[in-house]
Amino acid sequence: MERRREIEKRMRKIAESFGYREVATPTFEYLELFTRKSGEGIIEEMYVFKDKSGRDLALRPELTAPVMRMFVNECSVMPKPLRFYYFANCFRYERPQKGRYREFWQFGVELIGSESYLADAEVIILADKILKDVGVNFSLEIGHVGIMRHLLKPIGEDRASKVMRLIDKGDREGLESYLAEIRVNEDLRDKIFSLLELKGDESVIEEAKEIIDYDFGHLESLSALLRDVGVDFTLNLGIARGLDYYTGVVFECYAEGLGAQKQVCGGGSYELSSLFGGPVTPSTGFAIGFDRVCEACSVEAGEKSVVAVVSFKGLESQAFRVASMLRERGFTAVVDVMGRNLKKQMSFASEMGAKYAVILGPDEVKSGRVAIKNLETQEQVVVAEEELFSILQ
Ligand code: HAM
C-alpha cells in the first residue's frame, strides 16, 4: 500500500503543478448517465442495480461522464477552462485477468471548455509527464476519431458507432463482415481499411489526405507542438477507443512488459455537457489505469524508519510520553501494547525492522536519560533525553 500511495502522491503533485484541482463524484450514479453516450461496450460491462425506490443505478465504470454531470450541475458558469483531476475506483463487469479487474482505480483529468489543439496538447503533455515520472516505459499513440467518423457519415451514427467498436477491438474479420452486412460500397470499404492502417510519423497525415477530404489542421498543429516540446509519439489513425463520446483527437499509452492489458492510459476530446443539459462545452482528458501503472512502474515505497520505544514494566506512561515526543519531531515511534517483557519487546522491535530501540529502564528514567540501541549495528549509548533526537537523526 505504501508503494501505491507514493505513486498516487507523485501523480497528484504533477497534476496540481499543471493547475488541476481535485474533484470527487459519487460511487454510483443513475444508469442513464452512462447509457446516453458511453457506448454499448461500457453498457454491457456495468454493474447495474435498482435502489429501494426502483430507480436504475450503476456503479461508475469511469469518471468522465460523472465529472461532466457535476460540471453541468455546479460549475457551468465558472470561467473556462476548468481543470479537474480525480483518483477513484471504477467498476466494470469484465472477465477478470491479469491487469483487468472488476474494481480498479483511475487517475484522470478533464480539461473543460476548450476546443483548441492547445488543450489536447496540454493533457497529452501531462499524461506523458506523469507516466515518465513514475518510471513507466511506454509508447504514446495519437489518433483522431473525427476523421474516421467523417468518413462513416454516409452509414449513419449508430452503424458508425458499431464500426468504431469493431475497430477498437481490432476485430478486422468482424468489421469486414459487418460492412458487407450493411452493404457498404467497395470504395468506402477500401477507404475505411486504408485509413485504419495508417500509422507512423506525420507523413500519415499526407496519406490520409489522399483518402479523405478533411481539415487536418488540428492534428497537424498538435503534432508540431508536441514535437517542439519533446513528446515522443506515433500517429495512429486506427485508434477508435472503447467509449462512444470522443469527437476528435484520441490517444493511448501502452506500457512495456504488461502483456495483453498493456494500455495504461486512454483519453481524448469529447462533448458531453450538452447531452446532460448544459451548454455545448468541448472538453478533453484522459484516465490512467492506476493498477496497471503500479505493475509497470519502477517507483519504490520510501522506507520510513521506525523507532521502537521499549520499557521496563511500570514505565509504560514514560514510554507513551517519549513516543509522543518522538512523533512530534516527525519520527515514527511505536510502543508495546502487548504487555511484553523487555526481552520480548526487543526481539519484536528487530522483527518488525525498527532501526533503533529507545530503552527506558528505572535508572535511566530517574536520571532523565534514555538508552538508544542501534538494532543494525547493536551499538548502544546512554544519553540525556534532550539529546535523543540528534542521535536518531
Ligand atoms: P478507458 O480507456 O476506458 O478510458 O480507461 C482508462 C484506463 O483505465 C485504461 O487505459 C486502462 O489502463 C484502465 N482500465 C480500464 N479498464 C480496466 C480494468 N478492468 N482493470 C484495470 N484497468 C482498467 C476512460 O475511462 C475514459 N473516461 C478516459 C477519459 C477521460 N477520456 C477523456 N477523459
Side-chain angles (χ1 to χ4, degrees), residues 62 64 92 94 99 101 106 110 241 245-246 263 285-286 289:
E62 57 109 37
T64 305
R92 294 186 190 176
E94 300 185 279
Y101 311 109
Q106 283 190 346
E110 309 300 340
R241 304 282 298 129
Y245 48 63
Y246 295 104
Q263 196 196 115
F286 65 80

Side-chain angles (χ1 to χ4, degrees), residues 42-141:
I42 276 285
I43 293 166
E44 283 164 9
E45 289 168 1
M46 257 188 305
Y47 280 90
V48 175
F49 57 99
K50 282 193 193 292
D51 70 3
K52 284 184 180 166
S53 309
R55 288 175 290 220
D56 290 313
L57 303 176
L59 294 180
R60 59 179 172 219
E62 57 109 37
L63 277 97
T64 305
V67 168
M68 290 316 290
R69 180 198 48 71
M70 186 200 81
F71 162 76
V72 169
N73 292 347
E74 286 162 47
C75 331
S76 60
V77 293
M78 285 161 84
K80 314 282 177 309
L82 291 165
R83 293 179 165 93
F84 292 146
Y85 83 86
Y86 47 82
F87 176 59
N89 51 349
C90 302
F91 305 84
R92 294 186 190 176
Y93 196 78
E94 300 185 279
R95 193 168 57 81
Q97 52 183 286
K98 194 170 182 295
R100 186 182 282 271
Y101 311 109
R102 289 183 169 169
E103 179 176 3
F104 62 97
W105 287 73
Q106 283 190 346
F107 185 95
V109 311
E110 309 300 340
L111 173 49
I112 301 168
S114 168
E115 62 181 345
S116 167
Y117 73 93
L118 297 170
D120 290 319
E122 176 171 297
V123 296
I124 291 173
I125 291 167
L126 175 52
D128 184 72
K129 168 101 181 112
I130 290 177
L131 292 176
K132 278 185 183 146
D133 191 79
V134 297
V136 177
N137 268 330
F138 68 98
S139 56
L140 164 64
E141 294 189 5

Side-chain angles (χ1 to χ4, degrees), residues 315 318 321-322 325 358-372 381-389:
L315 296 178
Q318 302 295 338
R321 186 183 56 79
V322 170
M325 267 166 43
V358 171
I359 305 161
L360 304 177
D363 294 343
E364 284 92 12
V365 168
K366 233 181 263 160
S367 58
R369 284 141 57 98
V370 291
I372 305 170
V381 287
V382 178
V383 297
E385 216 175 85
E386 315 76 77
E387 286 173 49
L388 177 63
F389 310 111

Side-chain angles (χ1 to χ4, degrees), residues 144-152 195 208 212 214 216 219 237:
H144 192 301
V145 291
I147 302 168
M148 185 61 88
R149 285 217 176 252
H150 186 74
L151 189 64
L152 296 174
L195 194 62
I212 177 172
Y214 189 82
F216 287 86
L219 196 55
L237 300 186

